[in-house]
Amino acid sequence: MKTKILFILIAAFGCAGTLSSCTKLDEEVYSEVLPSKFTPTEKDLPTILAPTYASLRTVMCGWQGYFDLQEEAADCIITPVRPNGWDDAGTYRRMHQHAWTTQEWQPYNTWINAFATITKTNTILSQIDAGTLQLGDIKAGVVAELRAVRAFGYYLLLDNHGNVPIITKVDPDDKTLPKQNTRAEVYAFVVKELNEIMPSLSEDAKTTYGRLNKWGVKALLAKIYLNSEVYVGTAEYAKCIKEANDIIASGKYRLDNNYSDVFTYTNQNSAEIIFAIPYDEIYGVGNQIHMKTLDPLSQGVYQMTAQPWGGNCAVPQFIKTYDPEDSRLKDSWIQGPQSNPLTGQVLITYVNSVPGMGGLDGIVAPSNAGFRIGKFVIKQKATSNLDNDFPFLRYGDVLMMKAEALLRTGDPDGAASLVTQVRQRAFKSNASKATISGADLLKGSIYQYGLQAPDGTISASNGGADIKYGRFLDELGWEFAAEAHRRQDLIRFGIYETKQWFNHSPKSPTRSLFPIPQDEIAKNPNLKQNPGY
Amino acid sequence: MTLTKNHMNNTIKRYLSLLMLCLIYQVSAAQSNLNIKGKVRDAMDNTPLIGVSVKEKGTANGTLADNNGNYNLKVSRTDATLIVTYIGYTQLEVPVNGRQEINILLQPESKGLNEVVVVGYGTQKRGEVTSSIATVKAEDFTKGTVRDAGQLIQGKVAGLRITTPSGDPTGGTQINLRGLNSLNGTSEPLILIDGIPGSLNTVAPEDIEAIDVLKDGSAAAIYGTRATGGVILITTRKNPVGSKSTIEYTNYVNIQKIVKKPEMLTADDYRRLISQGVKYTDYGGNTNWLDEILQNPVSQNHNLSLFGGNSTTNFSGSVNYRDWEGIFLKTGQKRLTVRAALNHSMFDDKLKTNITVINRSITSSQGGADGYAYRQAIIRNPTDNIYNDKGKWQERDIYFYDNPLSRINEATNDARLRETRINGSLDYRPIKDLSIKLLASNIQTNNLYGSSTTFEHVNTTKSKLNGTASRSTTAATENLVELTTNYTKSIGHHNFSILGGYSWQDAVNENFYAYNFDFPTDAYSYNNLQTGAALKEGKADMTSNKNKWQLAGFFSRLTYNWNEKYLFMASIRREGSSKFGTNYHWGSFPAASVGWRVSKEDFMKAVPEISDLKLRAGYGVTGTIASDPYNSQTSYKYDYAEGAYIDGKWVPGFVPARNFNPDLRWERKTEYNAGIDFGLFKNRITGSLDYYTRTVDDLLYNFAVPTPPFLTGNMLLNAGTMKNSGFEALINVKAVDTKLIKWNSSITFSTNKNKLVNLSNDKFDVTIDFINAGYTGEPIQTYTHRVKVGGPIGQFFVLKSVGVDDNGKWLVESKDGKVIPISQSSDDDRQYYGNGIPKYLLGWNNTFKIKNFDFEVNVRGAFGHDVLNMQRMYYENPVNKAYNALKTAYDPKYGKTLNSDLVYVSDYIEKADYVKIDNVTLGYTFSDKLIKGIRNLRIYVSALNLFTITKYKGLDPEAVSYTGDFSFAPGIENRDTYPTTRTFTAGLNVSF
């Protein structure tokens, strides 16, 4: 009997697992893909390529992202304290007053997401190198495109952080920490990369929408050459003109008939966009510009499924520079009474006056203070994510870059004809106003630079008349308002750290570069902080 | 007290009839040739003992003493030995020696060093225990309304902090032992119900016999990687061997009142302020929004326990039904827990078998009464009306501002949680000293949720979603198999035991969720998800997921003592988890402890005042597992968030699931514990003192890694060391011990010191200096705490407010100690200000017995800590005229009127020392002769969370969370916390 029981026990124990399985601790994976279950082929290319572009959505419109970084540090857009908040521990005030810390999220987010793009492209490039990703005939094109995307990431860092590590490989076994490079080295790297890959890039404008093709890379190069003096102290206007001319001569792009066609929720059909960051309310979420800018009451105006947060708006001084007949004023900014389309009831009236950035001085901007960003046309029943793609490089920009290069190299009339070409669609009601002369472009700015008091008066005004090519800067403001251009333009025109606007006073020339994020320095002691921080 | 409230549903009736059937099983007497009779009495007070088991040794032959303590047993031999057992009394063996009448006196088991203590995989006598183990028996449990097993022992175990942070009827208790011991893993204790992992509410509180808490590492190490937060062993009620059939019924009914309401401005206050020029809007009404969302809850609880059988086969079972309501409208929970255990012994008790089934089903059917609705009731304009002139909910177009009643009434949130636990054991004793035990269990959990909002909910009236609905379901299966062998032997004065065992655990979790909106009607609620349009348009979500983990362990323990005087224990567990990298699957967790029972030494006879004295010391290593599986796995995922618009269509991106770390391994906690157990004056005063230090190495932390070269800025790494040390004391005093009056008083005291020794990333040789933690919420949006390496966890990090200037702006202290306006301050001026973790915890429990009355008072306190009063931070400031404010918002601050934005300053951090008179119970036990057939009848009234003495100005200083997301940010009384309640209970216990 006893032996029988013993057998039962042994049998029961046996059921619990044979000697090998009772210590088997391999993980069974159900909702993830193991590398052993995945052999990539050409047809997997889109899903492999996609992540490198995906982080650009976060770069641009992510919370406290690149858009905020470029606009809130400049003279067109502010986020004042509102009745429903928007102090957020003073971060918007610091952005406006150039008092950001080394831990500020706006510059850090651009760092994180630019490097995410870089690391993702490096990962795939390393796989192609190692042969784990076999691509056959298309290999050269794919490698060129990946290098273009990586260079784009480095362009963002070149412009904003300057002295960053250049990394071109991913090796999980390599535990050495990246070394820092100088801004000049980063500049040389980006220019070399973009020029090297040029022959292998696609020239097709249609199927490469949302990706970097040859024309996108040329436009990017033009931009880098235009700012070359800022980056490395050497002007490269001739090279800028050459790249612009190539794009113009290709005939692949043209100005859209209507300014709003470039920014509307169906702007994937635009003839003007050269490189867009595509957004989608379902698949490519992240364009929440309307959520941040609209007052909650505007929900009813667009019958939105989400209640907007009511934060940023235009700087009143900037709005005052517009010619009232410039249709871009209405196309770019939501203003005046806003009504419910079903009942006609006026829900809120946006006015062009903002008492101040507010915060600890107790000033609170009323809900309706300031014009709102309306450039990215909000469709009825919009969700919290817009369908509108963000044009990063467009034909209008190419024309204006060429114009500026001409202006700066002594051809104001050549510049003026290009500027006039861009202005024409903005003055359809009064075509004569579209035309501008070379002499006009040599004038100063009409922006009334100076500090604004809570009552709207501009004290200590130092104006804009003294700004060299100030009028051209104004043209850039009107054409590219709320396109994340403004910080770079102010730096190039030399007023970023010399002029006052709204509640901003010049801080220090070193503020033209953002700090290396303190958290990254803590994680990688090879990194040294930028001067002035 | 009436039983009319007893809405026993059909399910209960079915279970009842099943159990009643079992009752028919009768005790069968064995044949014998010597008839013995006698009476069994309590040796202390000579009262007859009812139901005592009297057995003939070595046979199945036995009987029970009757209502007068008399027994009658036929034995087979004149030299037989009687074994007399009774719960709470020391077992006695009585040689018959041919006698025919044997009167027996049983010694009550002294609660001190003789009580039986449950240890890992076995039991020990208290006197032989060499580790820090606390035991609370049923008679010492908190009486009245208790949520779960945790509340039963609240304030009764030194070093175990148990709080009930919210009044939510679906909520439970919060528990922490000896400080925070993990950064990323859980600090929650391992809870075993009769050896099988479960939770504090796996069994009904009424069904629990005793709760043992393994506090130190030397006791817990046998459970290896799950034991860093301590081990709580719950022993369910068993049928005392050979006891006669018993039915017990207990019930109670309670009402709850909100402890304290925030004092918001009323409509009259609004109008008075408007007349003074304050820019409030007067909508013409008069509504007390908070009162509108509150109800007067009546809750009830019924428990029926049955015990029966004979000395070879017996069963115990219970049916527990509770229907609890919450103080918010439409909140409540119904719970049915059924447990049945069947024991059978065969082959002269050589083989014992057990099968236990526990079935739980929890149903809650709530509206939208969540923390957000509560906030809306607090901030809503009191001059506004509930309904507009069309009879619809009055809504306003203000940011984050909804009618709380529409949120509550137009939303449905149903949950149905079901758990079935089946476990069985075989215990085979081939020879007297050897036991081989096989334990197997299977736990199945199936939860189903549904929620929806109607067309009158703001989701539709404001956000145009046209009705929303979702369903989700989770299913989990957990298996456990354990084989243990235990050999116990005494040779002369040498007593030893050896335990060896193997344990296997695996678990599979699966879930599914679907959400939809844009419905043609709201009549379907969540029962016709396919009619919504949003999912088809790609606007709504649908998700599913499955994961699995395994845990295997081998363990062994050796105990040895010489004459119960010199005690020694050593154990080891070797354990492997699938959650770790292949290089680190396995870890070893050793422990050792020694004890010296000084009172057994001859020289102690000279000190008769000391009836018991034991010194003990222990060392043990335990581990902590990462919470989630796959953290060390190299794997990829398809993700639309990483997708892009490629070749004219949106495709998902193929990306690594995480930064790969195949080196992930256990957190290791090493603990030293030294203690004294003592009994004075014939054990009239007993107690334990313990001192411990615990060091956790290889802390799992989501460490910041540089980007580049890493893709994401964080990676789960083993990095860092944390230390806790503390002192604990438990003292029981039989203050008055006469026949007429008894007063027992027990005091628990504990203190703990915590320090984050370092946080360094050996992978890159980088050390972090501090971690910011906690979050104020919108619109202040900043962190609240900072944990600095070298400092304790729980420190607030805040601008220290020192005054208010003439403009109503805060004045704060700068980092140089100067007073500056807050507008000139920066993050660098923040300073450490107070700590959310109490330095001292105190429990004081008293029971009085005066004749048939019993009276119990439990007092708890926590001292030396601070709480961030978030309601004051958000509502004691009149800045936002769109929202209501506390009445105190218009009181001068530092003699000035505040005119400031909402900010996080130290003014809102308050000293939060408190003493809580938590439980007061008065009971009366009727004499057993009152009604024939009734063995025991007791009625009682009880008040829970009765009274709090504190200077803290918030609602309840204990309503703070210190687990999960708040591990590093303890001591925040969140503005949205479901308010705590005061509970008044009337109940009845009866047994037949």
Side-chain angles (χ1 to χ4, degrees), chain B residues 5-109:
Chain B
K5 285 207 172 286
N6 182 359
H7 307 294
M8 261 198 252
N9 61 28
N10 284 335
T11 324
I12 304 181
K13 282 181 186 156
R14 263 205 304 279
Y15 278 109
L16 265 182
S17 36
L18 206 119
L19 288 169
M20 291 305 255
L21 266 177
C22 301
L23 269 178
I24 297 165
Y25 203 144
Q26 287 297 323
V27 181
S28 59
Q31 294 295 315
S32 54
N33 53 21
L34 179 64
N35 206 0
I36 309 170
K37 60 182 183 181
K39 199 168 185 130
V40 191
R41 286 197 186 88
D42 183 312
M44 300 295 278
D45 58 9
N46 255 351
T47 52
L49 296 171
I50 304 153
V52 174
S53 157
V54 183
K55 271 175 80 177
E56 183 183 351
K57 193 173 178 179
T59 71
N61 176 29
T63 186
L64 298 174
D66 67 11
N67 280 348
N68 300 316
N70 293 323
Y71 73 95
N72 221 321
L73 184 70
K74 283 179 182 170
V75 294
S76 51
R77 303 146 57 125
T78 51
D79 61 348
T81 302
L82 299 182
I83 296 180
V84 190
T85 50
Y86 194 55
I87 272 273
Y89 288 78
T90 311
Q91 178 176 314
L92 199 65
E93 294 198 11
V94 187
V96 172
N97 292 337
R99 289 178 292 176
Q100 292 201 336
E101 180 168 346
I102 305 175
N103 290 321
I104 299 163
L105 292 176
L106 280 183
Q107 289 288 348
E109 218 163 28

Side-chain angles (χ1 to χ4, degrees), chain A residues 21-41:
Chain A
S21 75
C22 71
T23 56
K24 194 169 175 283
L25 296 171
D26 300 335
E27 273 189 318
E28 286 179 60
V29 176
Y30 302 94
S31 301
E32 293 175 2
V33 183
L34 288 176
S36 57
K37 299 260 173 72
F38 182 77
T39 316
T41 62

Side-chain angles (χ1 to χ4, degrees), chain A residues 182-260:
Chain A
T182 64
R183 195 181 202 185
E185 286 165 347
V186 177
Y187 173 86
F189 171 76
V190 174
V191 168
K192 179 186 78 80
E193 284 286 300
L194 292 178
N195 280 304
E196 260 179 35
I197 59 177
M198 200 68 81
S200 307
L201 287 167
S202 169
E203 297 187 2
D204 179 29
K206 286 280 168 280
T207 61
T208 54
Y209 182 81
R211 297 161 66 178
L212 280 167
N213 57 21
K214 177 172 275 183
W215 317 112
V217 167
K218 282 186 172 291
L220 184 61
L221 264 177
K223 196 154 273 278
I224 293 165
Y225 290 139
L226 184 67
N227 290 286
S228 176
E229 196 163 4
V230 173
Y231 297 153
V232 290
T234 321
E236 297 281 12
Y237 298 115
K239 287 183 179 172
C240 172
I241 293 168
K242 189 201 159 285
E243 299 298 343
N245 282 341
D246 286 353
I247 298 166
I248 296 165
S250 78
K252 303 271 184 186
Y253 304 95
R254 61 172 172 80
L255 289 174
D256 277 319
N257 296 332
N258 301 303
Y259 186 67
S260 62

Side-chain angles (χ1 to χ4, degrees), chain A residues 137-208:
Chain A
D137 300 345
I138 59 167
K139 182 177 163 183
V142 173
V143 169
E145 182 176 352
L146 285 166
R147 285 170 67 185
V149 175
R150 182 173 65 191
F152 182 86
Y154 272 111
Y155 156 71
L156 298 175
L157 295 164
L158 165 71
D159 193 55
N160 290 284
H161 300 85
N163 307 297
V164 302
I166 299 172
I167 296 172
T168 56
K169 276 198 190 68
V170 167
D171 181 0
D173 297 326
D174 185 4
K175 292 189 178 172
T176 55
L177 286 169
K179 296 265 184 305
Q180 192 166 19
N181 293 87
T182 64
R183 195 181 202 185
E185 286 165 347
V186 177
Y187 173 86
F189 171 76
V190 174
V191 168
K192 179 186 78 80
E193 284 286 300
L194 292 178
N195 280 304
E196 260 179 35
I197 59 177
M198 200 68 81
S200 307
L201 287 167
S202 169
E203 297 187 2
D204 179 29
K206 286 280 168 280
T207 61
T208 54

Side-chain angles (χ1 to χ4, degrees), chain B residues 464-503:
Chain B
K464 319 292 178 200
L465 294 177
N466 290 328
T468 65
S470 73
R471 291 235 85 174
S472 68
T473 173
T474 64
T477 309
E478 194 175 311
N479 295 306
L480 173 79
V481 178
E482 279 180 340
L483 183 75
T484 50
T485 307
N486 200 354
Y487 183 72
T488 319
K489 189 78 186 169
S490 297
I491 303 165
H493 286 315
H494 303 277
N495 307 307
F496 67 92
S497 72
I498 303 170
L499 167 83
Y502 161 73
S503 165

Side-chain angles (χ1 to χ4, degrees), chain A residues 73 96-100 487 491 494-499 501 504-514 530-533:
Chain A
H96 179 68
Q97 294 169 345
H98 293 192
W100 47 74
R487 169 185 157 273
I491 292 171
I495 63 165
Y496 188 64
E497 289 303 341
T498 57
K499 289 286 180 192
W501 60 84
H504 164 91
S505 291
K507 192 96 182 166
S508 154
T510 54
R511 295 272 141 172
S512 297
L513 267 190
F514 288 109
N530 283 337
Y533 290 99

Side-chain angles (χ1 to χ4, degrees), chain B residues 800-819:
Chain B
K800 186 179 171 188
S801 47
V802 291
V804 173
D805 68 15
D806 293 339
N807 301 319
K809 310 298 177 203
W810 285 104
L811 293 170
V812 299
E813 197 174 279
S814 77
K815 59 174 180 288
D816 318 318
K818 293 193 194 105
V819 175

